[in-house]
Amino acid sequence: MSPLSAAGLLILAGASALLGPACAEPAPAPVVTGDVDGTRVPAAPTPARAKRQEAGISVAAATVMAAPPPSFLSFSDTVVSYRFQGPSAEPGLFVRRPNGTARGGFAPREVPKTVINFFHANSWAYGTNLISLDILRSGSQDPAGDKERPFKDYGATEVYLIYRGVLSLNKIFETESIAIPGFVKDVGLSFGADINTKNTYFDAEKRAGTFGLSFAFDVPAGFVNLKVQGYKDFSRNGFAGNGPTPGIPGNGAVPDFDYAHFRSVEFKMTPEFEITYTIPLPFTGLPLSLAGFNTIVLPKGRYGTINQNDTQLEFVSQTNLVLDVGQLLADTPNRVEIFAGFQYWHNKFGADPRRTINTEEKALIAGVAYHLK
């Protein structure tokens, strides 16, 4: 799971505006930088917001109408962003302390990360799509490694790709009746995939899929979406080939266990719940928005060198304040943004804190985003 950037949570505003009130936008999920929706719908009460809506939506619509032939997409936006986040947590990563300190001589190791994100979102006649690519570089506290050199003298690099799509049931069936007036404006079919790789000794290689329902809530400005989905995760257990480890409880030798080939892990299908939102803050007098997401993944099976540990309920939450600097300084909305926020991750990757150290993340986030259009 890699959380989406703050910019990614915002740029779908034009998408939902052009699709109309019956559109359900896609939402992210584990990162990222993460796992991971948005509609930048400016609030009406202030002239600046109204002007921003006029510039961002009417111009986009005019561009589509003027294109010969007409564009298949009613909205499209691409964003490049850079962010810093830390201290991040990596389950199982620790430092040794004198006996008598945290965890009997071990303490979680904090990791700073820098992230470059490429994000694209679009809407079409029957729904929306988004693609998010995070390139995360850890500090040396989270070293790169492989089987020959488990711990190198530089930080690891992770690549995390997310795709999310939604098909609007109202658009497919050409109706507006699949809704609860004043509460839910549309219900959609949601689907997606996560792919990652990381050059550490653990040798992560995640492949996950999601499928379920998306509910777009009827809010005055911005958007609030809920997804109720099934989540299926395939991964890699980079430590399993090492066999039993003397002195570590629960990791003794198992008769007839094929340690050499126990690397691919298939977790059970489990329920997942995602809430994503962007809320304009016109009372501040600034082109400022609150953007974020909350994701819950229920226990998905077992993990460990010989699958000796049960996964736990996983919860990740990220909240960002996003300022449209282009709108504020140069009257060019939806071009340059800065953002700052906080990320909390409980039982990261589903790891059990009673069995695995360093499973709780409390990270500050700061970054800048540029819309390529």
Side-chain angles (χ1 to χ4, degrees):
M1 175 185 307
S2 178
L4 292 177
S5 67
L9 290 168
L10 288 169
I11 68 171
L12 295 178
S16 81
L18 290 175
L19 267 176
C23 168
E25 291 86 21
V31 120
V32 26
T33 202
D35 263 27
V36 14
D37 265 71
T39 312
R40 183 185 297 281
V41 177
T46 64
R49 295 279 178 178
K51 190 171 185 179
R52 180 179 177 182
Q53 182 174 15
E54 180 180 355
I57 296 177
S58 297
V59 171
T63 301
V64 172
M65 293 175 63
S71 173
F72 175 76
L73 302 175
S74 55
F75 170 87
S76 178
D77 197 2
T78 302
V79 180
V80 177
S81 66
Y82 170 88
R83 72 181 185 269
F84 170 85
Q85 63 184 53
S88 298
E90 290 296 325
L93 196 63
F94 62 88
V95 292
R96 295 185 181 274
R97 300 295 189 193
N99 288 337
T101 60
R103 297 294 295 269
F106 302 105
R109 190 170 210 176
E110 298 178 340
V111 180
K113 294 185 180 182
T114 56
V115 187
I116 297 175
N117 175 264
F118 300 91
F119 187 96
H120 174 79
N122 63 61
S123 65
W124 59 299
Y126 297 110
T128 53
N129 300 282
L130 73 80
I131 298 174
S132 178
L133 175 66
D134 266 345
I135 302 174
L136 307 96
R137 181 64 184 266
S138 297
S140 59
Q141 299 89 337
D142 178 22
D146 52 38
K147 293 300 180 183
E148 295 182 359
R149 287 184 59 195
F151 306 106
K152 300 182 180 181
D153 56 0
Y154 55 88
T157 299
E158 179 180 8
V159 178
Y160 203 111
L161 178 67
I162 294 174
Y163 167 75
R164 293 291 185 268
V166 172
L167 293 175
S168 165
L169 295 181
N170 279 311
K171 292 298 181 180
I172 291 174
F173 296 107
E174 298 182 348
T175 180
E176 294 185 1
S177 61
I178 307 176
I180 303 175
F183 183 58
V184 175
K185 64 182 180 181
D186 191 28
V187 178
L189 298 177
S190 62
F191 47 91
D194 294 23
I195 298 174
N196 103 305
T197 184
K198 187 175 181 180
N199 63 341
T200 59
Y201 183 51
F202 187 80
D203 195 21
E205 189 177 273
K206 177 180 179 179
R207 305 291 184 266
T210 62
F211 184 80
L213 294 176
S214 175
F215 301 89
F217 293 102
D218 192 359
V219 293
F223 75 96
V224 178
N225 286 351
L226 167 67
K227 284 186 172 61
V228 179
Q229 305 182 116
Y231 176 84
K232 180 73 172 179
D233 185 355
F234 300 84
S235 192
R236 195 206 301 266
N237 188 338
F239 296 153
N242 296 334
T245 304
I248 298 182
N251 194 23
V254 177
D256 301 322
F257 190 86
D258 186 3
Y259 290 100
H261 296 92
F262 182 64
R263 292 178 56 80
S264 297
V265 180
E266 179 180 350
F267 291 102
K268 297 178 180 178
M269 175 77 76
T270 190
E272 181 200 46
F273 305 90
E274 302 176 358
I275 296 177
T276 53
Y277 59 88
T278 291
I279 306 297
L281 304 175
F283 61 87
T284 64
L286 298 170
L288 192 66
S289 297
L290 189 68
F293 65 87
N294 297 274
T295 300
I296 295 174
V297 180
L298 270 60
K300 56 188 178 182
R302 300 175 67 86
Y303 75 99
T305 52
I306 54 173
N307 271 4
Q308 71 272 31
N309 302 322
D310 290 313
T311 55
Q312 303 297 303
L313 182 146
E314 180 181 3
F315 171 71
V316 58
S317 175
Q318 186 183 120
T319 303
N320 291 283
L321 278 174
V322 185
L323 178 64
D324 191 330
V325 178
Q327 169 68 26
L328 181 66
L329 301 180
D331 199 26
T332 54
N334 307 323
R335 181 62 69 178
V336 180
E337 296 157 339
I338 58 174
F339 54 91
F342 180 76
Q343 178 167 294
Y344 176 71
W345 205 328
H346 179 66
N347 295 339
K348 192 169 183 177
F349 308 140
D352 185 347
R354 297 167 296 182
R355 302 286 183 265
T356 306
I357 197 169
N358 207 6
T359 63
E360 185 176 54
E361 181 171 289
K362 299 175 181 179
L364 297 176
I365 296 171
V368 60
Y370 181 74
H371 293 247
L372 301 177
K373 297 298 182 180

